[in-house]
Coordinates of all heavy atoms in Angstrom, one line a residue:
N32 N 0.0 -2.8 3.0 CA 0.0 -2.4 4.4 C 1.3 -3.0 5.1 O 1.8 -2.5 6.2 CB -1.1 -2.9 5.1 CG -2.3 -1.9 4.9 OD1 -2.1 -0.7 4.8 ND2 -3.5 -2.4 5.0
D33 N 1.9 -4.0 4.5 CA 3.0 -4.6 5.1 C 4.4 -4.0 4.7 O 5.5 -4.2 5.3 CB 3.3 -6.2 4.6 CG 2.1 -6.9 5.2 OD1 1.7 -6.7 6.3 OD2 1.7 -8.0 4.5
I34 N 4.3 -2.9 3.7 CA 5.5 -2.3 3.2 C 6.0 -1.5 4.5 O 5.3 -0.8 5.2 CB 5.2 -1.4 2.1 CG1 4.6 -2.2 0.9 CG2 6.4 -0.6 1.7 CD1 5.2 -2.2 -0.4
G35 N 7.3 -1.6 4.7 CA 8.0 -0.9 5.8 C 8.1 -1.8 6.9 O 8.7 -1.4 8.1
K36 N 7.5 -3.0 7.0 CA 7.5 -3.9 8.0 C 8.2 -5.2 7.7 O 8.8 -5.3 6.5 CB 6.0 -4.3 8.5 CG 5.2 -3.2 9.0 CD 3.8 -3.7 9.4 CE 2.7 -2.6 9.3 NZ 1.4 -3.2 9.2
A37 N 8.2 -6.3 8.4 CA 8.7 -7.5 8.1 C 7.6 -8.5 7.9 O 6.6 -8.6 8.6 CB 9.7 -8.0 9.2
V38 N 7.8 -9.4 6.8 CA 6.9 -10.5 6.7 C 7.6 -11.8 6.8 O 8.8 -11.8 6.7 CB 6.2 -10.5 5.3 CG1 5.2 -9.3 5.2 CG2 7.2 -10.5 4.2
V39 N 6.9 -12.9 7.1 CA 7.7 -14.2 7.4 C 7.2 -15.0 6.2 O 6.1 -15.2 5.9 CB 7.2 -14.8 8.7 CG1 7.7 -16.2 8.8 CG2 7.7 -13.9 9.9
C40 N 8.2 -15.7 5.6 CA 8.0 -16.6 4.5 C 7.1 -17.8 5.0 O 7.7 -18.4 6.0 CB 9.3 -17.1 3.8 SG 9.0 -18.5 2.7
P41 N 6.0 -18.2 4.4 CA 5.2 -19.2 4.8 C 5.9 -20.6 4.6 O 5.5 -21.6 5.1 CB 4.0 -19.1 4.1 CG 4.3 -18.3 2.9 CD 5.4 -17.4 3.3
H42 N 6.9 -20.6 3.7 CA 7.6 -21.8 3.5 C 8.8 -22.2 4.3 O 8.9 -23.3 4.8 CB 8.0 -21.9 1.8 CG 6.8 -21.4 1.0 ND1 5.8 -22.2 0.7 CD2 6.6 -20.2 0.5 CE1 4.9 -21.6 -0.1 NE2 5.4 -20.4 -0.2
C43 N 9.6 -21.2 4.5 CA 10.9 -21.5 5.2 C 10.9 -20.7 6.5 O 12.0 -20.7 7.1 CB 12.1 -21.4 4.3 SG 12.3 -19.5 3.9
K44 N 10.0 -19.8 6.7 CA 9.9 -19.0 8.0 C 11.0 -18.0 8.1 O 11.3 -17.5 9.1 CB 10.0 -19.9 9.3 CG 9.1 -21.1 9.3 CD 7.6 -20.7 9.2 CE 6.6 -21.8 9.3 NZ 5.4 -21.6 8.7
T45 N 11.7 -17.6 6.9 CA 12.6 -16.6 6.9 C 11.8 -15.2 7.0 O 10.8 -15.0 6.5 CB 13.4 -16.5 5.6 OG1 14.1 -17.8 5.5 CG2 14.3 -15.3 5.5
K46 N 12.5 -14.4 7.9 CA 11.8 -13.0 8.1 C 12.4 -12.1 7.0 O 13.6 -11.9 6.8 CB 12.3 -12.6 9.4 CG 11.3 -11.6 10.0 CD 11.7 -11.3 11.5 CE 10.6 -10.4 12.1 NZ 10.9 -9.9 13.5
I47 N 11.6 -11.4 6.3 CA 12.0 -10.6 5.2 C 11.6 -9.2 5.5 O 10.3 -8.9 5.7 CB 11.3 -11.0 3.8 CG1 11.6 -12.5 3.6 CG2 11.9 -10.1 2.6 CD1 10.7 -13.1 2.6
N48 N 12.4 -8.2 5.5 CA 12.0 -6.9 5.7 C 11.7 -6.2 4.4 O 12.4 -6.2 3.3 CB 13.3 -6.1 6.3 CG 13.5 -6.4 7.7 OD1 12.6 -6.4 8.5 ND2 14.7 -6.7 8.1
L49 N 10.4 -5.7 4.4 CA 10.0 -5.0 3.3 C 10.4 -3.5 3.3 O 9.8 -2.9 4.0 CB 8.5 -5.1 3.1 CG 8.0 -6.5 2.9 CD1 6.4 -6.5 3.0 CD2 8.4 -7.0 1.5
E50 N 11.4 -3.3 2.5 CA 11.9 -1.9 2.6 C 10.9 -0.9 1.9 O 10.4 -1.3 0.8 CB 13.3 -1.8 1.8 CG 14.2 -2.7 2.4 CD 15.1 -2.1 3.4 OE1 15.3 -0.9 3.4 OE2 15.6 -2.8 4.3
K51 N 10.6 0.2 2.5 CA 9.9 1.3 1.9 C 10.8 2.0 0.9 O 11.7 2.6 1.4 CB 9.3 2.1 2.9 CG 8.0 2.8 2.5 CD 7.7 3.8 3.6 CE 6.6 3.2 4.5 NZ 6.1 4.3 5.4
D52 N 10.6 2.0 -0.4 CA 11.5 2.7 -1.2 C 10.9 4.0 -1.5 O 9.7 4.3 -1.4 CB 12.1 2.0 -2.4 CG 11.0 1.6 -3.4 OD1 10.0 2.2 -3.3 OD2 11.2 0.6 -4.1
L53 N 11.7 4.9 -2.1 CA 11.4 6.3 -2.5 C 10.2 6.2 -3.5 O 9.3 7.0 -3.6 CB 12.5 7.1 -3.0 CG 13.5 7.5 -2.0 CD1 14.7 8.1 -2.6 CD2 12.8 8.5 -1.0
N54 N 10.3 5.2 -4.4 CA 9.3 5.0 -5.5 C 8.0 4.9 -4.9 O 7.0 5.4 -5.4 CB 9.8 3.9 -6.3 CG 9.4 3.9 -7.7 OD1 8.9 5.0 -8.1 ND2 9.6 2.9 -8.6
F55 N 7.9 4.0 -3.9 CA 6.6 3.7 -3.2 C 6.0 4.9 -2.6 O 4.8 5.3 -2.8 CB 6.9 2.6 -2.2 CG 5.6 2.3 -1.5 CD1 4.5 1.5 -2.1 CD2 5.4 2.8 -0.1 CE1 3.4 1.2 -1.3 CE2 4.2 2.4 0.6 CZ 3.2 1.7 0.0
D56 N 6.8 5.6 -1.9 CA 6.4 6.8 -1.3 C 5.9 7.8 -2.2 O 4.9 8.5 -2.0 CB 7.5 7.5 -0.5 CG 7.5 6.9 1.0 OD1 6.5 6.1 1.4 OD2 8.4 7.2 1.8
S57 N 6.6 8.1 -3.3 CA 6.2 9.0 -4.3 C 4.8 8.6 -5.0 O 3.9 9.4 -5.1 CB 7.2 9.5 -5.3 OG 7.5 8.3 -6.0

Side-chain angles (χ1 to χ4, degrees):
N32 277 332
D33 293 327
I34 302 233
K36 301 180 202 160
V38 293
V39 176
C40 172
H42 308 285
C43 67
K44 311 296 181 205
T45 296
K46 210 171 181 187
I47 306 158
N48 285 313
L49 293 175
E50 305 264 336
K51 205 188 261 190
D52 65 23
L53 289 172
N54 211 5
F55 176 76
D56 270 349
S57 62

